[in-house]
Amino acid sequence: MRKTLYLHIGHFKTGTTAIQVMMAHNMHLMRRAGLHYAESWLEDAKHSALALSIYREIGVTDLMHGYNDDASPQSVWDALFDEVRGSGCSVVLASTEELMRIGALPAAEAVLRDIITPVQDEFDIRVIAYFRSPQAHLVSWYNQMIKMNASPLGPFDMAVSQMMESIHYDYGQALRPWLELFGPGAVMVKRYTDDLREGFALYDDFLDIMDMSRPFRLKLPEEDVNPRLDPNLLEATRMLQMAGFFGEELEWAQAKMSKIRDMVPHDEVPFDTVVTRARAGVKAMQRTAAGFDDFLDDLPQPHGALDPREVVDLLIYLLNDVTNLRNNVHQKLATLTERLAAVEAQVQTADKEPH
C-alpha cells in the first residue's frame, strides 16, 4: 500500500488552529476513518518542530516561540517518516503553519530539500495551503500581532512594511519552495473566507481535499480556539501595550474601553451629509423668515484630521506617564507595607515584655 503524507502548511490566520485542534481531539475517530494525524512531535495539537528545528539549525532566532530543542531537523522528520511507514492508514497528516515561513528563508529551503528528496520515491507528499485575500490577511495578522503583544509594534502601515515577514503579502514567495519541491500538481491551494468559520464548513472543506468525509461523531471545540481581538480596540490596545500595560491591567483597560464604546451611538453621519442638511435647513428657514442669508456663508466645516502620528505619540507619552506614576505608587505602597509590618512586630514584642 503506497502511503500519502499531507503537509498542511497554513497560511497563518486561515483556521489552522481550529483544524489542528479538531484533528488532535478526534485522532482515533479519524484513524478509523482512514486518516492518521501524526503523533510524532505533536505539541499543542500541531507539529511546529518540523519547521522550528530547521530554523534553529540555520540560526534563526526571531519568532521561535521559545523553541530550544536540540534535536536535528533530520531526526524530527525521520520520526514522521517512520510513523508514515508504520501507519495502518494510507493517508497521514502533519500540520503547522510555521512551514509557511520557509519561502522567506532560502537556507531553510535547502535543508528541507535534503530531508525530503530521499523519501519522495517511497511515498507521495502533498501540500495543503489556505490563503485569505491579501488585505484581509494583513488585517487579521496585525490583529494577531497585537494579541500576541509583539511589542514594540507600530501602526498598521508601519507594521506591514517594516515588521511583517514578506510571506504575509507575497504569496508567490510563500508558495515557491513547495511548488519547486513537489510540483504544481502536489500543492493544493485553497481560498479561505469567513463563511468557512460557520459550523463544519472549514472541516468539510479540509477533509474533502484528501477525499475524505467527516465522521458522524466528529467533536468540535466548544469555543473559538483562537479568538481575535475586537477590531475597534486594536489601536488602543497597541498603545496600552506600548505604555507597559499587560496581563490583568490590559484586560481591565480593554473592558473599560468596550463599555465606553457600548455607551456611544454607532450610527455615524458623514460630514458631507451634515453640510448638505444644514444648507437645506437654512434654505427652508429663509422661506419662512428674512435676514438669514449670511447663514449660508457659515455652514458646518470639518476641523480637519489630526496627524495620527502626533496623536499616537501624545497618547503613548501620557500612558507612559500614567504607568510610571502607577509603578511609583506601587513601590511606595510596598515600602509603607513593610514599615507597617515592622512597627506591628515591634508593638507585639513590646506587649509581650513584662511591665
Side-chain angles (χ1 to χ4, degrees):
M1 175 176 60
R2 187 171 177 83
K3 308 289 184 65
T4 301
L5 170 62
Y6 282 92
L7 299 175
H8 175 215
I9 65 171
H11 208 311
F12 295 91
K13 307 307 295 178
T14 58
T16 48
T17 301
I19 290 172
Q20 291 157 355
V21 170
M22 181 275 289
M23 294 300 306
H25 285 186
N26 296 274
M27 290 179 68
H28 300 296
L29 184 64
M30 296 305 303
R31 199 167 297 180
R32 288 199 296 270
L35 174 58
H36 181 128
Y37 193 54
E39 297 182 61
S40 303
W41 295 94
L42 180 65
E43 185 173 355
D44 294 331
K46 54 188 175 182
H47 307 89
S48 296
L50 293 174
L52 299 181
S53 61
I54 294 177
Y55 304 152
R56 188 174 188 270
E57 178 160 294
I58 66 172
V60 173
T61 57
D62 295 334
L63 303 175
M64 291 297 286
H65 313 294
Y67 183 82
N68 58 8
D69 198 297
D70 60 1
S72 69
Q74 187 67 60
S75 65
V76 171
W77 282 83
D78 280 346
L80 174 62
F81 296 152
D82 287 341
E83 190 169 355
V84 175
R85 296 182 183 104
S87 176
C89 298
S90 61
V91 178
V92 179
L93 170 68
S95 175
T96 173
E97 57 271 43
E98 296 295 338
L99 284 170
M100 186 65 74
R101 299 175 59 201
I102 282 182
L105 301 167
E109 180 183 349
V111 173
L112 179 62
R113 184 180 300 277
D114 290 342
I115 291 172
I116 291 293
T117 300
V119 301
Q120 284 186 282
D121 291 334
E122 186 177 354
F123 39 76
D124 298 319
I125 299 178
R126 301 287 182 264
V127 178
I128 301 172
Y130 279 84
F131 290 90
R132 290 175 179 260
S133 63
Q135 175 67 0
H137 173 80
L138 291 174
V139 169
S140 184
W141 186 240
Y142 181 62
N143 186 300
Q144 181 72 16
M145 292 177 76
I146 293 176
K147 189 173 76 170
M148 294 187 302
N149 194 7
S151 183
L153 182 66
F156 177 77
D157 294 2
M158 182 184 297
V160 171
S161 62
Q162 298 182 21
M163 305 186 70
M164 291 186 189
E165 291 181 294
S166 52
I167 51 101
H168 288 290
Y169 51 81
D170 186 345
Y171 292 167
Q173 181 190 55
L175 283 172
R176 182 191 50 75
W178 306 98
L179 294 171
E180 291 181 356
L181 272 173
F182 304 109
V187 180
M188 277 65 76
V189 178
K190 298 284 291 183
R191 180 186 180 92
Y192 180 86
T193 54
D194 286 339
D195 59 343
L196 289 178
R197 297 167 60 91
E198 301 298 326
F200 289 94
L202 175 62
Y203 310 107
D204 289 340
D205 192 78
F206 182 75
L207 291 172
D208 184 63
I209 297 172
M210 297 174 284
D211 295 322
M212 300 196 64
S213 299
R214 169 169 38 96
F216 177 71
R217 292 185 295 166
L218 187 74
K219 298 178 182 179
L220 297 184
E222 295 182 358
E223 57 185 21
D224 191 341
V225 294
N226 190 14
R228 65 175 183 169
L229 290 175
D230 181 347
N232 296 311
L233 301 181
L234 277 184
E235 288 305 311
T237 297
R238 182 180 66 82
M239 286 186 284
L240 287 168
Q241 291 171 344
M242 294 283 284
F245 282 65
F246 62 94
E248 293 181 357
E249 295 170 335
L250 182 59
E251 292 175 3
W252 173 85
Q254 289 173 324
K256 282 288 186 180
M257 290 186 293
S258 293
K259 188 173 182 179
I260 292 172
R261 282 190 57 83
D262 290 340
M263 296 169 58
V264 178
H266 295 291
D267 294 333
E268 180 181 354
V269 178
F271 207 91
D272 288 346
T273 301
V274 172
V275 176
T276 299
R277 293 183 61 176
R279 180 183 292 107
V282 171
K283 290 183 177 180
M285 189 171 62
Q286 286 176 321
R287 291 193 291 271
T288 303
F292 293 97
D293 292 351
D294 60 318
F295 275 26
L296 291 174
D297 298 325
D298 195 30
L299 295 174
Q301 298 180 43
H303 285 181
L306 297 174
D307 186 336
R309 293 170 297 182
E310 294 180 2
V311 176
V312 169
D313 288 345
L314 175 60
L315 288 176
I316 290 176
Y317 170 78
L318 293 175
L319 288 170
N320 267 312
D321 199 43
V322 170
T323 302
N324 292 334
L325 178 61
R326 180 196 63 205
N327 290 338
N328 289 336
V329 170
H330 287 176
Q331 291 173 1
K332 291 179 179 179
L333 181 60
T335 301
L336 289 174
T337 301
E338 291 177 1
R339 290 181 178 178
L340 180 60
V343 170
E344 290 178 342
Q346 291 176 355
V347 171
Q348 292 175 358
T349 300
D351 289 342
K352 293 178 181 180
E353 293 178 352
H355 296 287

